[in-house]
Amino acid sequence: MLIRIRAKDGQFRCELQPGDNASKLLEQILASTKADAETLTLSDAPHSRGRSASELRDQSIASLGLRHGDMLFASYQDKQDEASTSQSSAPVSEDAVDVYWSQQRGLIPRQHDRQFCRHGEKGMCDYCMPIEPYDMTYHAQHGIKHLSFHAYLRQQNIGVPSTSTSYVPPLEELSYRVKVPCPSGQHESWPASICTKCQPSAITLQRQKYRMVDHVEFVHSALIDRMLDAWRKTATQRFGYLLGHYEPYDKVPMGIKAVVEAIHEPPQAGETDGIVLGMPWDDEARIQQLAEWCGLCVVGMIYTDLEVADPTHSDPTQAGLVSCKRHADSFFLSGQEALFAAQQQSQYKSACRWSQSGLFNSKFVTCVLSGNPMGEIDVSAYQVSEQVMAMVDADMIEASVHPTTIRVKPSDSTRYVPDVFYRYTNKYGIDVKENASPTFPVEYLLVTSTHGFPTEPKPRFLSSAFAIENRPGLEDQTLDGLLAQVRNVTPDTLVSWLSDWHLLAFLGQTGFFSSDDMRIACRVAVTHHGREALMSSSGWQTLVTIAQESAPQPSSPPAPPAEAEPEALADAPSEGSACPHCTFLNAPGSTDCDVCGLPLH
């Protein structure tokens, strides 16, 4: 029997017998192509995921249902692709979700249309065939405001690696800085001189068509409730970093969601109308390393902007409600907040194989806890565009006195600012181009994402009971409190107690656990297995020993009552007495004077 194979190296045939093993088929494919065996997959349809060679190797041709003349589609990476597809001098370590989507076709399936389809159930026509993930009609029908990043790549015909050694990645990070030195080499470097070769071109601000993260998912509501608890008790605002990971999001074609597993609050001073932060903070590197051991990373930040609706508490209808400060007639994200978000996004750029630098944009999200028009506390999720990240990097913009606008800085000896414009559609439907100097609307910088909670929560951390860090006077993390908890931990309750981010963060700074011990603790905390390895670690044994030795001793029983003294001694003075007759000082317990012999009493 003949099996046809179609691959990027061409189409060819494999001669097999029905009783042959699939390994014989794989050997012929590998001999006819430059495929790397570990990446080889076979499918019966183009662009489908298929099955890997390792899954097929031990099966027979007959068990696979293959018949004479069937065609299989082979997908693989060439053995030399590792060198030829390198996009930067440093290796690109992409997020797992980006690797996943780069291997998928991403087509949107459609059901059989009873009105227009004139074929059988197994047929396909223009009305039911799958459509591209960037189809704008589909996005409009489902209320999706932005393309996902990978759908955007498909729209730009980006996403198919080339085997050419001269391949140049198509994406390039925006930069509005003056090129120093000038590529022409014809004059002194700026600020001494400048030309069209080294100066940035004029900038036209446009709303970003795509978003790096489509949805923010908090694994359980306790994450939000515990952050709000600080505001409810102190009336001051709080700030925290979102720790989590990225997953595919099925509500958007080729979508990505940031799954938040924990919120870490750095040192801060909360005010009623703002927050004072120190950046960078001293413990930042340790927390990032701890998150990595837990399989997490920094996916964004969250902060509160809350104010009670009735500060006087005189209107019972306003009880429990908060003010709606952010809405269409005021602002959603102020200029200062947008610039801060741009700075944070620049610190957490996304690895990207399609970028010449190996980095492109950022998946870092900004979440705000504030009041909605109903007076309820709600979460809003944003990102700022790639353009504003580049403008902040070039020191071109700053916050203005009005929260809805951004101010363009003037050129001087320290910066060169090109002309900046922005486009909008006026009330007559006409596209208008305006000069962005001195100010332009913040809305041109924002990209919105959705948010929510899972219907079936599966959090990595089982507990959130331990005191939260950097809340002195409100929630204090103390060694004595930790030791008291350790004394009550049993082997059966160890995992559920340890599986708490704030507890892990505190354990790491006690000095009892080495780096290896903390890795074990993190693994047990997020996988909920392997408690024996933790209990046998030196760090845990030291902690248990200290907890036992520092346990308060039981109170001593009361002393038995003293026996009654003999009657003769009961009347004797407890101290030496002077004789009232001769004034001689007699020994304690004497009844008669040792000199005159007269009684002392």
Side-chain angles (χ1 to χ4, degrees), residues 54-191:
S54 59
E55 297 179 39
L56 302 173
R57 191 174 302 279
D58 297 329
Q59 301 187 41
S60 66
I61 296 298
S63 66
L64 295 176
L66 295 177
R67 297 176 296 179
H68 177 72
D70 283 351
M71 176 175 285
L72 296 179
F73 297 85
S75 177
Y76 51 83
Q77 292 182 3
D78 292 348
K79 294 179 181 179
Q80 66 269 29
D81 270 358
E82 182 177 354
S84 64
T85 61
S86 175
Q87 279 87 35
S88 62
S89 58
V92 175
S93 179
E94 291 181 302
D95 291 319
V97 69
D98 292 317
V99 176
Y100 171 79
W101 281 125
S102 66
Q103 298 172 348
Q104 308 302 314
R105 184 65 183 88
L107 294 176
I108 305 172
R110 291 191 295 176
Q111 300 296 324
H112 186 276
D113 193 310
R114 296 181 179 180
Q115 181 179 359
F116 296 104
C117 293
R118 304 302 182 189
H119 51 75
E121 290 296 329
K122 295 184 178 180
M124 183 180 295
C125 67
D126 290 343
Y127 296 104
C128 62
M129 67 182 299
I131 56 178
E132 294 292 343
Y134 49 82
D135 186 86
M136 300 312 297
T137 302
Y138 177 89
H139 282 70
Q141 291 175 346
H142 291 78
I144 303 174
K145 296 178 62 176
H146 303 276
L147 291 174
S148 67
F149 176 60
H150 286 272
Y152 170 76
L153 292 180
R154 294 291 193 276
Q155 185 187 49
Q156 302 300 314
N157 199 26
I158 299 172
V160 181
S162 171
T163 57
S164 171
T165 56
S166 60
Y167 172 73
V168 177
L171 295 181
E172 184 178 359
E173 288 189 279
L174 285 180
S175 176
Y176 298 137
R177 289 178 174 268
V178 178
K179 296 178 182 179
V180 177
C182 178
S184 67
Q186 301 298 317
H187 60 80
E188 296 184 39
S189 296
W190 185 84

Side-chain angles (χ1 to χ4, degrees), residues 216 326 331-333 341 345 364-368 380-384 446-449:
V216 181
R326 299 168 184 260
F331 65 94
F332 293 106
L333 211 64
Q345 288 182 198
F364 188 94
V365 296
T366 298
C367 295
V368 185
S380 299
Y382 304 96
Q383 289 187 293
V384 295
L446 301 184
V447 178
T448 58
S449 300

Side-chain angles (χ1 to χ4, degrees), residues 7-63:
K8 62 183 179 181
D9 289 323
Q11 183 172 318
F12 52 91
R13 299 176 178 180
C14 296
E15 295 187 7
L16 301 166
Q17 296 298 325
D20 286 344
N21 195 285
S23 59
K24 187 173 182 180
L25 171 65
L26 298 175
E27 290 174 0
Q28 295 187 40
I29 295 175
L30 294 174
S32 304
T33 65
K34 298 180 290 183
D36 181 355
E38 295 184 358
T39 64
L40 174 62
T41 60
L42 294 177
S43 63
D44 57 1
H47 308 302
S48 64
R49 187 172 186 179
R51 300 173 67 181
S52 65
S54 59
E55 297 179 39
L56 302 173
R57 191 174 302 279
D58 297 329
Q59 301 187 41
S60 66
I61 296 298
S63 66

Side-chain angles (χ1 to χ4, degrees), residues 316-327:
T317 63
Q318 298 292 308
L321 301 181
V322 295
S323 297
C324 179
K325 303 165 64 176
R326 299 168 184 260
H327 49 81

Side-chain angles (χ1 to χ4, degrees), residues 433-450:
K433 186 175 182 179
E434 288 278 354
N435 193 325
S437 181
T439 62
F440 62 90
V442 177
E443 62 187 65
Y444 281 84
L445 313 179
L446 301 184
V447 178
T448 58
S449 300
T450 59

Side-chain angles (χ1 to χ4, degrees), residues 216-525:
V216 181
E217 179 179 281
F218 297 89
V219 291
H220 51 74
S221 59
L223 292 172
I224 302 297
D225 291 338
R226 293 209 66 188
M227 191 163 195
L228 292 176
D229 188 57
W231 173 76
R232 292 187 178 109
K233 293 179 179 179
T234 64
T236 59
Q237 312 303 329
R238 292 299 294 177
F239 174 93
Y241 281 107
L242 305 176
L243 305 179
H245 53 93
Y246 300 103
E247 294 181 0
Y249 182 54
D250 57 4
K251 300 295 190 298
V252 172
M254 305 191 81
I256 294 176
K257 66 179 178 180
V259 182
V260 180
E261 299 279 355
I263 299 177
H264 188 88
E265 299 181 8
Q268 57 193 278
E271 305 289 344
T272 57
D273 58 350
I275 308 164
V276 179
L277 298 169
M279 296 291 179
W281 40 291
D282 295 338
D283 216 21
E284 185 172 3
R286 183 183 72 86
I287 294 302
Q288 290 183 353
Q289 179 65 80
L290 189 68
E292 184 178 337
W293 289 340
C294 292
L296 307 175
C297 63
V298 178
V299 300
M301 63 182 177
I302 186 170
Y303 53 87
T304 62
D305 182 23
L306 295 166
E307 180 182 336
V308 294
D310 179 24
T312 63
H313 304 285
S314 59
D315 186 354
T317 63
Q318 298 292 308
L321 301 181
V322 295
S323 297
C324 179
K325 303 165 64 176
R326 299 168 184 260
H327 49 81
D329 295 328
S330 61
F331 65 94
F332 293 106
L333 211 64
S334 70
Q336 187 174 14
E337 291 170 319
L339 298 185
F340 180 58
Q343 294 171 355
Q344 294 294 301
Q345 288 182 198
S346 296
Q347 294 182 21
Y348 297 95
K349 290 188 176 181
S350 294
C352 181
R353 70 179 71 181
W354 315 116
S355 171
Q356 297 180 24
S357 65
L359 300 172
F360 189 78
N361 213 310
S362 173
K363 296 187 184 74
F364 188 94
V365 296
T366 298
C367 295
V368 185
L369 285 168
S370 190
N372 62 20
M374 302 298 294
E376 301 168 341
I377 298 175
D378 202 358
V379 182
S380 299
Y382 304 96
Q383 289 187 293
V384 295
S385 67
E386 181 192 11
Q387 283 188 312
V388 69
M389 291 172 60
M391 296 176 79
V392 170
D393 178 68
D395 192 29
M396 294 172 52
I397 53 179
E398 62 184 356
S400 69
V401 294
H402 200 284
T404 62
T405 59
I406 291 286
R407 180 177 179 270
V408 179
K409 293 182 178 181
S411 296
D412 58 23
S413 59
T414 62
R415 75 178 72 86
Y416 175 83
V417 180
D419 293 332
V420 181
F421 304 92
Y422 68 95
R423 289 184 178 275
Y424 69 95
T425 302
N426 64 14
K427 61 182 180 180
Y428 303 107
I430 301 174
D431 184 63
V432 179
K433 186 175 182 179
E434 288 278 354
N435 193 325
S437 181
T439 62
F440 62 90
V442 177
E443 62 187 65
Y444 281 84
L445 313 179
L446 301 184
V447 178
T448 58
S449 300
T450 59
H451 72 279
F453 301 92
T455 54
E456 298 180 1
K458 296 180 181 178
R460 294 192 181 184
F461 298 110
L462 303 177
S463 173
S464 59
F466 198 76
I468 295 180
E469 59 283 340
N470 300 310
R471 290 187 176 184
L474 185 62
E475 296 185 41
D476 293 319
Q477 294 182 337
T478 63
L479 183 58
D480 289 341
L482 173 65
L483 296 176
Q485 292 188 17
V486 171
R487 289 192 288 269
N488 295 324
V489 173
T490 66
D492 293 336
T493 62
L494 173 60
V495 173
S496 59
W497 172 77
L498 181 68
S499 187
D500 187 316
W501 166 259
H502 306 290
L503 172 60
L504 290 174
F506 183 67
L507 282 177
Q509 61 184 7
T510 58
F512 297 134
F513 286 72
S514 65
S515 295
D516 291 337
D517 291 342
M518 282 305 303
R519 286 191 184 95
I520 295 174
C522 291
R523 184 170 63 250
V524 173

